[in-house]
Amino acid sequence: MARIIAGIGSSHVPAIGAAIDNGKTEEPYWKRVFSGFEKSQEWMRETKPDVAIVVYNDHASAFSVDIIPTFALGCAAEFPPADEGWGPRPVPVVQGHPALASHIAQSVILDEFDLTICNKMEVDHGMTVPMNLLFGQIDKNSHWPCPVIPLAVNVVMYPPPTGHRCFMLGRAIRKAVESFPDDLRVVIFGTGGLSHQISGPRAGLINSKWDKAFLDNLSKDPQKLVKIPHVDYMREAGAEGIEMVMWLIMRGALDDKVDEVYRFYTVPASNTAVGHIILANRPRGAKGSKAPRKPKPAARHKRAAARAKVERIRS
Ligand SMILES: [Fe+2]
């Protein structure tokens, strides 16, 4: 059986990708950012996941305003880096996992999450920057250390999905992964954010208090986050802060109680806050490691109540 072993939250600031690609990682401004991911890369090398699911948003690279899927799952065998205006990033082509991706698509669609299936898709910095931060800088002619399944979420055009919808999609993804027969250890990334606004009178807005409370709740009390309406993200975390709903897909895919392995937060990178967290599911059987309880369908309750009533009448 496949299972999700950990979730990773990470910003996907495009300037981080530019710093990597232009050899600026040792400059003091950028070293402050990259040094915060050294432990994470060590953790990733030790963890050696078999597959990663990366939840991110496309920035008008694979999709234009002509087509805006709310949730788009990459089921292809490979995903080339997109040309975002300066040529494709010099990173390896992402190898997918079509068998697991197709299985997830079938499972979550039958669970009433109507995903768009992408059998051909280029991926932009939203996905490749967090991969660099966690897997390190890898030669474009080499390979990423594991296959990756992209899940693109619309947070660019109104209306994006709600935090609750994202969290429940995470739950459905978890169920899908756990019904895949191969013995795979899967990690899931939630990317984007944290607080930032890139245009308008509030451009440059960063709200560290909000960001840190979000990270606290993500770790310990995610149910508080699923209730946050879009307007609160806009007001408190800036127009682009809505990207944070993608972290809730990652969190929904984890157990209720998780261990916080690592956290990093710094301001600024470009004009955004950089946030990062690693949350690990506890080994099965460990105290507090129970998987989230599935709500029982109302119909099943009704049938059970009816049966009990019949039994009472008979006795
Ligand atoms: Fe973004």
Side-chain angles (χ1 to χ4, degrees), residues 218-240:
L218 195 75
S219 183
K220 302 276 184 256
D221 195 359
Q223 289 304 327
K224 273 192 186 153
L225 302 179
V226 304
K227 296 173 195 148
I228 299 174
H230 289 143
V231 68
D232 286 13
Y233 284 101
M234 296 281 284
R235 186 180 57 243
E236 300 295 334
E240 279 73 36

Side-chain angles (χ1 to χ4, degrees), residues 31-40 262-264 276:
K31 198 162 176 55
R32 172 180 51 86
V33 174
F34 290 106
S35 61
F37 288 84
E38 284 168 5
K39 281 199 172 76
S40 316
Y262 181 66
R263 185 192 299 203
F264 172 64
H276 169 46

Side-chain angles (χ1 to χ4, degrees), residues 12 14 57 59 125-126 155 192-193 196 243 246:
H12 63 214
N57 68 287
H59 302 76
H125 72 270
V155 288
H196 64 301
E243 291 186 350
M246 294 187 287

Side-chain angles (χ1 to χ4, degrees), residues 11 13-14 29 193-198 204-206 266-274:
S11 298
V13 185
Y29 180 89
L194 295 175
S195 60
H196 64 301
Q197 176 149 340
I198 51 179
L205 178 145
I206 287 174
T266 189
V267 171
S270 184
N271 59 352
T272 80
V274 169

Side-chain angles (χ1 to χ4, degrees), residues 67-311:
I67 300 175
I68 306 168
T70 301
F71 299 115
L73 188 74
C75 295
E78 56 179 41
F79 306 93
D83 183 347
E84 299 181 60
W86 300 270
R89 288 198 61 217
V91 292
V93 169
V94 174
Q95 303 299 316
H97 196 302
L100 178 57
S102 303
H103 175 82
I104 292 172
Q106 174 174 297
S107 179
V108 304
I109 289 171
L110 295 180
D111 260 345
E112 302 177 352
F113 283 91
D114 306 317
L115 300 187
T116 299
I117 293 170
C118 297
N119 291 319
K120 188 178 180 188
M121 182 164 71
E122 294 184 346
V123 291
D124 67 15
H125 72 270
M127 181 159 145
T128 58
V129 163
M131 286 172 64
N132 276 135
L133 288 171
L134 272 294
F135 294 126
Q137 192 172 355
I138 298 171
D139 186 90
K140 71 173 185 176
N141 298 313
S142 184
H143 299 284
W144 295 104
C146 68
V148 176
I149 298 173
L151 174 60
V153 180
N154 168 42
V155 288
V156 175
M157 294 285 283
Y158 192 82
T162 64
H164 180 255
R165 185 71 172 156
C166 288
F167 190 85
M168 295 312 290
L169 176 59
R171 284 276 184 265
I173 290 172
R174 173 202 178 99
K175 182 179 159 196
V177 168
E178 291 187 348
S179 61
F180 190 68
D182 293 5
D183 194 16
L184 299 175
R185 296 161 68 253
V186 180
V187 295
I188 180 165
F189 286 53
T191 75
L194 295 175
S195 60
H196 64 301
Q197 176 149 340
I198 51 179
S199 59
R202 297 200 306 160
L205 178 145
I206 287 174
N207 185 344
S208 297
K209 198 174 162 204
W210 162 277
D211 290 339
K212 287 175 182 172
F214 185 89
L215 292 172
D216 287 344
N217 285 324
L218 195 75
S219 183
K220 302 276 184 256
D221 195 359
Q223 289 304 327
K224 273 192 186 153
L225 302 179
V226 304
K227 296 173 195 148
I228 299 174
H230 289 143
V231 68
D232 286 13
Y233 284 101
M234 296 281 284
R235 186 180 57 243
E236 300 295 334
E240 279 73 36
I242 191 63
E243 291 186 350
M244 292 159 88
V245 294
M246 294 187 287
W247 293 44
L248 296 179
I249 297 179
M250 173 273 280
R251 187 62 182 91
L254 301 179
D255 289 349
D256 290 342
K257 290 193 188 314
V258 292
D259 292 323
E260 184 174 324
V261 175
Y262 181 66
R263 185 192 299 203
F264 172 64
Y265 182 83
T266 189
V267 171
S270 184
N271 59 352
T272 80
V274 169
H276 169 46
I277 199 164
I278 300 177
L279 302 170
N281 277 341
R282 294 169 184 172
R284 290 290 157 83
K287 202 178 170 195
S289 69
K290 268 200 306 191
R293 224 183 292 156
K294 277 185 225 154
K296 286 188 180 162
R300 212 183 301 161
H301 281 301
K302 278 187 193 156
R303 280 200 301 274
R307 266 199 306 274
K309 196 174 171 188
V310 170
E311 294 297 323

